[in-house]
Amino acid sequence: ILNVEQSPQSLHVQEGDSTNFTCSFPSSNFYALHWYRWETAKSPEALFVMTLNGDEKKKGRISATLNTKEGYSYLYIKGSQPEDSATYLCAFDSGGGADGLTFGKGTHLIIQP
Amino acid sequence: KAGVTQTPRYLIKTRGQQVTLSCSPISGHRSVSWYQQTPGQGLQFLFEYFSETQRNKGNFPGRFSGRQFSNSRSEMNVSTLELGDSALYLCASTDPGLENNEQFFGPGTRLTVL
């Protein structure tokens, strides 16, 4: 059974502050690491798909890094805004294996005005 | 392009009944995967269909089944419903031509079993 852990489970951040959270995953059979942003009652929205060790991706104020050798990825949000409030999910992808995408339980981010 | 759609969005059933959920992928996507989310749990992989064939299956009992049609639309069926089947069911579509197996999710069907 694959184990994907996300921390912290929830996070309250003041508007304007920067924040980051972690996803840890198995370091073997790695194909990709997916990050999603999920607002209540909406579809999970893909943020990044990361495949290369040391890779860093950026979309606006959000960026992510990847370390496949030690099995972790960080998601950073710079200058948090109320619209960043959501649950952020990471998912381990072994490349079409029997487990599909293996998701963590998410980090629930609340931005306080 | 229209996104992934799922119907119905909400469903209430009683124990012992069966239910069928539907997922229409993004046009051109041939792979559809299904996931279950129960309270306090991450999304759990149910199965994946590609070109009308089940390609992968997660660790769920045989009461959970699915199929895919020639237009790539997929249905999942749960028979003999149990209280623990109450969950949000999400489907995701992708295509081998997409970079890095990027998956696109629908909004989910919220199933309540009474």
Side-chain angles (χ1 to χ4, degrees):
Chain A
I1 297 176
L2 299 174
N3 197 29
V4 178
E5 300 283 343
Q6 290 189 248
S7 62
Q9 188 175 353
S10 66
L11 195 52
H12 288 70
V13 174
Q14 286 295 124
E15 182 178 354
D17 287 351
S18 296
T19 187
N20 65 85
F21 26 92
T22 308
C23 172
S24 62
F25 52 86
S27 53
S28 58
N29 297 320
F30 177 87
Y31 175 76
L33 194 283
H34 302 246
W35 278 103
Y36 289 89
R37 179 175 177 277
W38 195 6
E39 292 183 73
T40 305
K42 294 187 177 180
S43 306
E45 172 197 353
L47 289 173
F48 306 112
V49 182
M50 308 184 77
T51 57
L52 299 175
N53 184 45
D55 202 8
E56 180 172 344
K57 293 203 171 184
K58 189 175 180 182
K59 183 186 283 190
R61 295 178 292 99
I62 304 177
S63 61
T65 60
L66 180 69
N67 183 323
T68 60
K69 293 183 179 177
E70 296 181 42
Y72 65 84
S73 176
Y74 293 131
L75 190 80
Y76 300 90
I77 301 178
K78 186 177 177 183
S80 303
Q81 299 297 311
E83 58 266 29
D84 296 329
S85 296
T87 296
Y88 291 81
L89 299 173
C90 69
F92 174 82
D93 185 351
S94 60
D99 297 312
L101 296 183
T102 303
F103 282 83
K105 294 182 181 180
T107 292
H108 184 52
L109 177 65
I110 298 170
I111 307 300
Q112 298 168 322
Chain B
K1 276 185 178 177
V4 178
T5 58
Q6 292 187 244
T7 57
R9 292 293 308 274
Y10 301 91
L11 203 49
I12 299 175
K13 291 285 188 178
T14 57
R15 278 181 299 174
Q17 287 187 309
Q18 73 166 10
V19 67
T20 299
L21 312 181
S22 180
C23 173
S24 293
I26 290 172
S27 177
H29 287 189
R30 291 172 289 164
S31 167
V32 174
S33 296
W34 288 89
Y35 292 84
Q36 179 199 63
Q37 187 188 45
T38 50
Q41 296 298 316
L43 293 169
Q44 303 288 317
F45 172 69
L46 281 154
F47 28 64
E48 181 206 2
Y49 285 86
F50 179 79
S51 294
E52 301 178 66
T53 301
Q54 187 180 89
R55 190 158 70 169
N56 290 306
K57 189 177 191 303
N59 188 27
F60 278 82
R63 299 185 298 107
F64 291 81
S65 63
R67 59 178 176 169
Q68 188 179 34
F69 302 94
S70 58
N71 62 357
S72 293
R73 188 177 71 84
S74 176
E75 290 181 346
M76 67 164 280
N77 184 276
V78 189
S79 62
T80 319
L81 284 165
E82 300 177 0
L83 295 179
D85 297 332
S86 294
L88 180 68
Y89 292 88
L90 289 168
C91 74
S93 76
T94 188
D95 195 83
L98 289 174
E99 184 181 354
N100 299 329
N101 196 29
E102 187 172 6
Q103 308 262 334
F104 295 83
F105 280 85
T109 294
R110 172 77 61 186
L111 171 65
T112 301
V113 181
L114 302 175

